[in-house]
Amino acid sequence: MWKVIFRRLLLMIPQLLALSVLIFVMAELMPGDPLTGLVDPKISAEQIEAMRVKLGLNQPLWKRYIDWMVGMFHGDFGRSFAHKQPVTAIIAQRIWPTVWLSLFTTIITYMIALPLGILSGRYSGGWFDKVVNFYNFLTFSIPSFVLGLFFLWLFGYTLGWFPTRGTVGAGLQPGTLDYVLSRIYHMILPAFTLAVLSTTSTIQWLRSGIVDAKADDYVRTARAKGVPERVVYNKHILRNALLPIAAFFGYELTGLFGGAMITEQIFTYQGMGQLFITSVSGRDYSVMITLVLFYGFLTLLGGLLSDIIMVFVDPRVRLD
């Protein structure tokens, strides 16, 4: 298995290389450049052109790409035009808020989805199953920005239960208990918004797996042998119904980094999602390209992680 994992990691290199070329070309096709809208309109065209020459923006696309790739292999992903800092320094500041938000969202998602999916599948056709199906239909059809704005208005402005912006309260010292509690307090509302939207697929997979497993021959055989109903559900039905969730767990975990963009922007949460949106709108190419490449790496890593998880939860699966 370890040889297969190593080969899969090596295969990521040409995939990420192809993605980097595609990103660089698409960024070149965007209108304007990093200096568009970021300079004083009173500055002459000659001065603007001198700034482009100084920044290397007048170089051919292929040369700028090669320079960027050479710097990347040396740990230099360029410099942000908007923040006036190295890209790695900016991402290092933003990645941990998104990591904690993603982990917190995952915990809330499964706290909601697992009980609803299990009960809905076990009592399929009943009133509770109909309520869960309506909940799934509702959360599947609501866009993330609509639900985020609704929760922001209801729990933030109307009820005043949670803060409406930021990642931590002002004036708190990092490392103190108040600082940590403030971090968690600011995460609750955006994490709950993401979790509600993320429960739909998990509930549906779990419910469908339980309904299908209840009709299988091995379940009927276990019941015919007099196996207690609790054992039938826990050992036979539920174990097999959880396999689709395990298969997509890697994708869901890594996908939250990309899925948090709109929510982070709505709640002004200082994470990587908001950084990506501001880099696109501000034509901050170095940050934008690096983040897209990072999201691509997470997608590939999510696929590998899901395959590894399936090897441990399902003995029939082997990485060959």
Side-chain angles (χ1 to χ4, degrees), residues 142-157 164 189-190 193-194 197 262-263 266-267:
I142 295 180
S144 60
F145 67 91
V146 173
L147 186 65
L149 290 174
F150 174 74
F151 282 167
L152 187 65
W153 168 78
L154 178 62
F155 298 110
Y157 290 105
T164 58
L189 196 53
T193 303
L194 288 170
L197 297 173
I262 303 299
T263 304
I266 290 173
F267 291 96

Side-chain angles (χ1 to χ4, degrees), residues 273-296:
Q274 189 195 48
L275 177 64
F276 178 75
I277 292 179
T278 55
S279 66
V280 173
S281 61
R283 301 176 180 85
D284 201 350
Y285 293 124
S286 299
V287 178
M288 178 181 63
I289 293 172
T290 304
L291 287 178
V292 174
L293 196 62
F294 177 70
Y295 290 143

Side-chain angles (χ1 to χ4, degrees), residues 193-208:
T193 303
L194 288 170
V196 169
L197 297 173
S198 302
T199 56
T200 305
S201 56
T202 304
I203 292 174
Q204 193 59 40
W205 288 333
L206 188 54
R207 179 192 178 277
S208 300

Side-chain angles (χ1 to χ4, degrees), residues 5 76 80 89 97 102 129 192-193 206 251 270 275 282 298 301 305 310 314:
I5 294 174
D76 181 13
S80 170
S102 300
D129 182 37
F192 182 70
T193 303
L206 188 54
Y251 286 109
Q270 302 294 318
L275 177 64
L298 286 179
L301 185 63
L305 182 61
M310 283 301 296
D314 191 351

Side-chain angles (χ1 to χ4, degrees), residues 9-271:
L9 291 174
L10 289 180
L11 185 60
M12 290 183 186
I13 297 176
Q15 292 174 323
L16 292 174
L17 183 63
L19 178 61
S20 67
V21 175
L22 180 62
I23 298 168
F24 222 88
V25 173
M26 293 183 66
E28 181 68 17
L29 296 177
M30 291 179 63
D33 57 33
L35 296 180
T36 304
L38 297 180
V39 296
D40 191 337
K42 297 180 180 180
I43 297 178
S44 64
E46 291 77 11
Q47 291 175 304
I48 295 177
E49 185 61 28
M51 293 175 65
R52 288 195 174 96
V53 172
K54 181 179 179 181
L55 295 173
L57 298 177
N58 64 323
Q59 300 289 337
L61 178 63
W62 63 268
K63 189 176 187 308
R64 281 187 284 130
Y65 174 77
I66 292 177
D67 292 340
W68 180 74
M69 287 296 295
V70 171
M72 184 183 68
F73 282 112
H74 288 84
D76 181 13
F77 289 86
R79 190 174 182 85
S80 170
F81 295 100
H83 298 273
K84 312 300 182 186
Q85 296 181 29
V87 173
T88 52
I90 300 172
I91 294 180
Q93 296 170 5
R94 298 294 190 98
I95 190 171
W96 285 111
T98 298
V99 167
W100 293 119
L101 178 64
S102 300
L103 293 176
F104 199 27
T105 300
T106 303
I107 294 173
I108 298 176
T109 298
Y110 285 102
M111 288 177 61
I112 298 173
L114 292 181
L116 292 182
I118 292 173
L119 294 176
S120 178
R122 184 166 185 173
Y123 304 106
S124 57
W127 66 268
F128 186 81
D129 182 37
K130 294 178 181 178
V131 172
V132 173
N133 285 333
F134 177 75
Y135 166 83
N136 267 356
F137 172 79
L138 198 62
T139 54
F140 181 76
S141 59
I142 295 180
S144 60
F145 67 91
V146 173
L147 186 65
L149 290 174
F150 174 74
F151 282 167
L152 187 65
W153 168 78
L154 178 62
F155 298 110
Y157 290 105
T158 303
L159 299 177
W161 290 355
F162 301 104
T164 58
R165 58 183 300 143
T167 57
V168 67
L172 298 177
Q173 295 295 327
T176 61
L177 179 60
D178 290 338
Y179 181 88
V180 174
L181 294 177
S182 179
R183 280 276 191 181
I184 297 174
Y185 187 46
H186 281 74
M187 277 196 300
I188 293 177
L189 196 53
F192 182 70
T193 303
L194 288 170
V196 169
L197 297 173
S198 302
T199 56
T200 305
S201 56
T202 304
I203 292 174
Q204 193 59 40
W205 288 333
L206 188 54
R207 179 192 178 277
S208 300
I210 292 177
V211 171
D212 293 341
K214 286 193 298 184
D216 287 339
D217 293 337
Y218 66 88
V219 173
R220 290 198 295 266
T221 301
R223 285 172 173 161
K225 290 180 178 180
V227 178
E229 194 67 17
R230 177 180 59 83
V231 178
V232 171
Y233 265 94
N234 294 337
K235 187 176 180 180
H236 299 285
I237 296 178
L238 186 58
R239 179 180 295 180
N240 288 279
L242 289 173
L243 292 180
I245 298 177
F248 287 94
F249 179 76
Y251 286 109
E252 286 193 355
L253 186 61
T254 56
L256 285 172
F257 286 92
M261 292 180 188
I262 303 299
T263 304
E264 286 186 4
Q265 184 70 12
I266 290 173
F267 291 96
T268 323
Y269 189 85
Q270 302 294 318

